[in-house]
Amino acid sequence: MAQCQEERHSGPSRPKISGKVTSVEQLWQDFFSDPSQWWDTRFIKKTPKYPDFKHKSKREGLWIEGWQTPSWVKAKMANMALGQIQSSGGLISGVANSFGYGDNVSQLCQEGRLTEALYMVELMVQQNTQAPINAYSSLLKGFARRKDLAEGKQVHALVVQSGLDSDIFLGNTLVDMYAKCGSLLDARKVFDLMPEHNVFSWTAIISAYVDHGQGEEAIELFQQMQQTGITPDKVACVVVLKACAKVPALKQGKQLHSHILKSGFESDVIVGSALVDMYSKCGCIEHARRVFNNMHERNVVSWNAMITGYTQQGLGKEALALYEQMKQEGVQPDNVTCAVLLNACTSIAALEQGMELHSHIIKSGFESDVFVGSALIDMYAKCGSIEHARQVFDKKTKQDVIVWSAMIGGYVQQGLGKEALALYEQMKQEDVQPNNVTYLVLLKACASIGSLELGKQLHSHIIKSGYETDVTVGNALVDMYAKCGSIELAGQVFNNMHERSVVSWNAMIAGSANQGFGKEALTLLEQMKREGMKPNEVTYVSVLSACSHSGLLDEGRSVFDSMSKDDGVTPTVDHYACMVDLLGRAGYLAEAEDFINRMPIKPDLVVWTTLLSAARNHGHVEIGRRAFDCVMNLEPENASAFVQLSNIYAAANMGDEVAKIRKEMQDAGVEENACMQLD
């Protein structure tokens, strides 16, 4: 009776495929015609009720010893079970091999059949059969490409279960897998537990830190690697150069360059390109060009690195000139080249060159590229042609969030806050999910038009989207609330931030300064220092501005004196301009003029116009005239300076001088509307 019950559970008497009744014999024929479509579950089944083979998509089951199984099937299975094949990893079941799983897990991984490959390795482990190392490495690389951390951890568990966790090759591959799946902590754990390291091990962990934006830690690891006596190869050099570029760390970059020269790696085009990129991002554009010129071989990546360097340093003309040289040498630009060149055009407002480049982009078929498309929109918007920007945007059939953000940012750039917010509403209607960049430009739009209510709505969306913890979005929220007049809400966001950067503190201090809360700005500066955050140049500009607008003369003097002495911040012309404004507002014009004359750097136009404005406010004719003369030396057609000096003379009842100023304006060719302000 027990046997009968077991056989009744051996499978359905009328199996169905796609709704049609199919005989067991037909199923077995299907099975043998393509075994790869069936799972072999014999080694994991815990009860006879479970089938020996299960179809992967249709879920039909087959039992070898089922009462409906044809005799020819049982005979064939018995014959096949006799065979065994030998692999580099040990004995593998001939039956499993015959059924399409094979011992070539790597092939399955290359075909993207990772689930099948993983299942096969699991079967081998369950049979106490050693899977080859390349099977594990192929799986780890495959799941790394998919960024599938859960499955990657499953493979790691199988590696440990098989006793292969001490293998250096698999250790390196595990470090790489965890890094690419976003778990730097797990990558470091694997690295630290490895019994030995080679250059590939160190390169893998250093690369992991670089990819996660931790350049300084990557450089420290490189130094540890050198201390162990391991010499970096070309790949390691390229990875560390990327770290130096990100920090930036010019000193360490130069030291590595010296090693590269000694090792003869500089002739390698990839190493040379990485050197160009490192020097460019470290601000040494001359060094970058020297390396570029000395390269024996240059590919499009090399040209892109040099063009990008010029663009990032604000040298748009040089970038465009290098592009012309690139074409002359027969090197075809790619989509990266085009995107960078558009940024170069943007930096120097070169609309004509940008339009010419747009024509080339259309011919080359790069217009559909998301990054090229967004760069085109940005270029047109920042060059003042918002209509062309919108035309590019409207032609995009599949509008990525990056393109939407670029168009919204273009409207913000042109001061069209309402249009930016309207496009955001359209974006939501088309079910395009905004990212942190979208929210940044939208918050800037709200700040530009002073729309507190819209800003609050955006804040609500940001919370729902989970971007409130993004430090850059938090900074933008603080800035938006402050510029919309709600310093209280700005403070709430600031206090609730889980992480605060120097930009966060600067945004809160600047908000307090703009709202006239000078003492609060000073309190924030002290709190910032107590919490271990070092103020920078921007911080002190905001604090000095707060002191100026709040009439805190003594406090402002103290801040200016302490910025270099206590915090090592060397005053720039902006800080000196703030001090001139502070002294001028307080009526200390003679001291302000003396302060300018004692500046260790050359005063710029802002410094002298600030003194001129103070002279107008306090009716000081002599100082006003001297400040005006200095402005004229720097900008002879400055209409505002003429108007301010004329107002000083008018307030002093010096009509003859007013007439002279009017004539000087006309002789200088100052615009008519400026002259009309004197009437």
Side-chain angles (χ1 to χ4, degrees):
M1 180 67 72
Q3 178 65 28
C4 292
Q5 282 184 335
E6 184 177 307
E7 289 188 346
R8 277 201 294 270
H9 288 292
S10 297
S13 60
R14 301 178 66 192
K16 294 183 180 181
I17 297 180
S18 302
K20 297 179 181 179
V21 177
T22 305
S23 68
V24 174
E25 186 156 354
Q26 180 62 54
L27 280 176
W28 278 109
Q29 288 173 356
D30 293 342
F31 171 76
F32 283 110
S33 66
D34 188 4
S36 67
Q37 297 303 310
W38 296 75
W39 292 118
D40 183 349
T41 58
R42 290 171 299 159
F43 303 104
I44 59 173
K45 59 186 293 184
K46 297 180 180 178
T47 170
K49 296 179 182 179
Y50 202 79
D52 294 306
F53 304 102
K54 196 169 184 179
H55 198 280
K56 293 178 181 177
S57 60
K58 299 170 185 174
R59 300 305 181 189
E60 293 291 350
L62 289 172
W63 285 258
I64 297 174
E65 298 299 329
W67 66 276
Q68 285 187 320
T69 304
S71 58
W72 65 267
V73 171
K74 295 180 181 180
K76 186 169 184 177
M77 295 294 293
N79 290 332
M80 293 177 70
L82 295 174
Q84 297 287 333
I85 61 169
Q86 184 76 28
S87 77
S88 59
L91 287 174
I92 300 177
S93 166
V95 176
N97 184 69
S98 300
F99 295 151
Y101 301 105
D103 63 339
N104 196 346
V105 175
S106 299
Q107 182 64 35
L108 290 172
C109 292
Q110 288 173 11
E111 294 172 3
R113 297 158 64 184
L114 295 178
T115 304
E116 295 174 56
L118 177 58
Y119 179 73
M120 178 183 170
V121 172
E122 286 174 337
L123 287 178
M124 292 179 187
V125 173
Q126 288 161 10
Q127 296 176 65
N128 294 320
T129 301
Q130 184 73 281
I133 286 175
N134 70 330
Y136 291 109
S137 66
S138 297
L139 278 169
L140 289 169
K141 290 174 183 177
F143 289 126
R145 283 192 296 271
R146 287 189 184 177
K147 300 187 186 303
D148 193 332
L149 180 61
E151 296 285 34
K153 284 188 172 183
Q154 192 172 343
V155 178
H156 187 181
L158 291 171
V159 169
V160 174
Q161 190 176 343
S162 301
L164 295 173
D165 48 320
S166 61
D167 183 87
I168 192 168
F169 174 71
L170 283 180
N172 298 342
T173 311
L174 279 164
V175 170
D176 183 66
M177 181 276 293
Y178 277 121
K180 287 177 178 172
C181 289
S183 182
L184 183 60
L185 181 62
D186 282 318
R188 185 59 187 262
K189 283 180 180 177
V190 171
F191 178 81
D192 289 340
L193 290 172
M194 290 173 67
E196 61 175 325
H197 301 117
N198 58 19
V199 67
F200 304 109
S201 317
W202 284 100
T203 303
I205 193 64
I206 292 169
S207 181
Y209 276 93
V210 173
D211 292 341
H212 283 76
Q214 299 188 30
E216 291 181 357
E217 290 81 356
I219 293 170
E220 288 179 11
L221 280 166
F222 175 64
Q223 291 169 343
Q224 291 176 28
M225 168 185 163
Q226 290 178 305
Q227 289 168 6
T228 64
I230 294 177
T231 303
D233 60 6
K234 291 179 184 179
V235 178
C237 289
V238 170
V239 170
V240 179
L241 285 170
K242 288 180 181 178
C244 294
K246 283 191 175 184
V247 173
L250 180 61
K251 180 181 177 182
Q252 291 87 342
K254 284 184 173 180
Q255 290 173 352
L256 185 54
H257 190 181
S258 177
H259 166 77
I260 288 167
L261 289 171
K262 292 175 183 176
S263 304
F265 295 157
E266 196 177 26
S267 59
D268 183 274
V269 67
I270 298 174
V271 174
S273 301
L275 277 167
V276 171
D277 181 65
M278 182 275 293
Y279 278 122
S280 297
K281 288 178 178 171
C282 288
C284 292
I285 201 69
E286 298 85 3
H287 282 75
R289 187 58 190 261
R290 196 175 302 126
V291 172
F292 179 80
N293 290 341
N294 290 333
M295 290 178 69
H296 302 296
E297 177 190 355
R298 292 193 289 253
N299 59 16
V300 68
V301 176
S302 318
W303 289 90
N304 288 348
M306 194 66 240
I307 291 171
T308 301
Y310 278 131
T311 303
Q312 291 175 342
Q313 294 299 314
L315 301 170
K317 290 182 179 178
E318 288 79 356
L320 292 171
L322 192 61
Y323 169 57
E324 293 301 321
Q325 182 183 339
M326 177 183 183
K327 289 192 294 183
Q328 290 171 8
E329 295 192 17
V331 181
Q332 290 299 315
D334 61 8
N335 57 335
V336 176
T337 320
C338 294
V340 174
L341 286 167
L342 286 167
N343 292 334
C345 293
T346 301
S347 68
I348 58 174
L351 180 59
E352 186 177 344
Q353 290 95 321
M355 294 180 83
E356 290 176 3
L357 186 58
H358 188 181
S359 177
H360 167 77
I361 287 168
I362 293 171
K363 293 175 184 175
S364 303
F366 293 140
E367 196 175 24
S368 60
D369 183 272
V370 169
F371 295 102
V372 173
S374 59
L376 271 169
I377 292 168
D378 187 59
M379 182 275 294
Y380 278 125
K382 289 180 179 175
C383 287
S385 183
I386 198 71
E387 297 83 5
H388 280 91
R390 186 59 194 251
Q391 286 173 13
V392 173
F393 175 80
D394 290 338
K395 285 180 181 177
K396 303 289 285 184
T397 52
K398 292 183 179 179
Q399 292 164 332
D400 188 274
V401 63
I402 297 171
V403 178
W404 284 91
S405 300
M407 191 65 238
I408 292 170
Y411 279 130
V412 173
Q413 179 73 25
Q414 292 301 311
L416 302 171
K418 291 182 179 178
E419 288 80 354
L421 293 167
L423 192 60
Y424 170 59
E425 291 301 321
Q426 182 184 338
M427 178 182 179
K428 288 194 295 180
Q429 290 171 8
E430 297 192 20
D431 291 327
V432 179
Q433 293 300 315
N435 60 12
N436 58 339
V437 176
T438 317
Y439 285 123
L440 289 175
V441 294
L442 284 167
L443 289 168
K444 189 175 180 181
C446 291
S448 69
I449 62 175
S451 180
L452 181 60
E453 288 306 312
L454 284 172
K456 287 180 177 179
Q457 291 176 27
L458 269 178
H459 191 176
S460 177
H461 296 162
I462 287 166
I463 292 171
K464 291 175 183 175
S465 301
Y467 283 111
E468 194 180 27
T469 56
D470 186 299
V471 67
T472 57
V473 174
N475 297 342
L477 278 166
V478 172
D479 182 66
M480 180 276 295
Y481 278 127
K483 287 179 178 174
C484 288
S486 182
I487 198 69
E488 183 180 351
L489 288 174
Q492 287 178 14
V493 173
F494 178 79
N495 291 330
N496 290 331
M497 290 177 72
H498 301 293
E499 177 188 356
R500 291 195 287 245
S501 66
V502 67
V503 178
S504 316
W505 288 94
N506 290 348
M508 194 64 216
I509 291 171
S512 300
N514 293 334
Q515 294 298 317
F517 297 111
K519 290 186 177 179
E520 287 77 1
L522 288 168
T523 301
L524 282 166
L525 175 65
E526 292 306 313
Q527 182 185 346
M528 178 182 185
K529 291 181 179 180
R530 283 197 304 272
E531 294 189 14
M533 185 65 67
K534 187 176 180 181
N536 61 12
E537 295 176 357
V538 177
T539 314
Y540 278 107
V541 168
S542 296
V543 173
L544 289 170
S545 177
C547 292
S548 178
H549 286 85
S550 301
L552 303 173
L553 179 62
D554 292 338
E555 291 86 345
R557 283 173 169 161
S558 176
V559 167
F560 183 83
D561 291 339
S562 67
M563 61 184 284
S564 57
K565 182 170 60 178
D566 296 342
D567 295 313
V569 178
T570 303
T572 66
V573 70
D574 293 329
H575 300 107
Y576 285 104
C578 287
M579 281 302 297
V580 172
D581 186 54
L582 176 68
L583 294 167
R585 286 174 184 266
Y588 291 82
L589 271 72
E591 184 179 344
E593 185 178 25
D594 180 61
F595 180 83
I596 295 172
N597 291 331
R598 290 186 291 106
M599 282 174 59
I601 55 179
K602 185 179 179 180
D604 67 357
L605 189 65
V606 175
V607 171
W608 288 114
T609 53
T610 300
L611 182 62
L612 178 57
S613 179
R616 181 205 61 194
N617 292 335
H618 293 280
H620 203 300
V621 176
E622 292 82 5
I623 290 179
R625 181 71 213 197
R626 289 195 292 271
F628 171 81
D629 290 340
C630 291
V631 171
M632 289 299 102
N633 289 334
L634 295 171
E635 192 177 287
E637 297 178 5
N638 189 297
S640 176
F642 280 105
V643 173
Q644 293 207 61
L645 183 60
S646 176
N647 290 338
I648 293 173
Y649 285 143
N653 296 318
M654 300 170 67
D656 292 344
E657 295 299 325
V658 172
K660 289 179 183 178
I661 286 294
R662 184 181 181 89
K663 187 175 185 308
E664 285 182 37
M665 288 179 72
Q666 292 171 341
D667 292 342
V670 176
E671 294 180 3
E672 184 65 25
N673 60 352
C675 295
M676 290 172 65
Q677 295 181 46
L678 302 183
D679 294 334

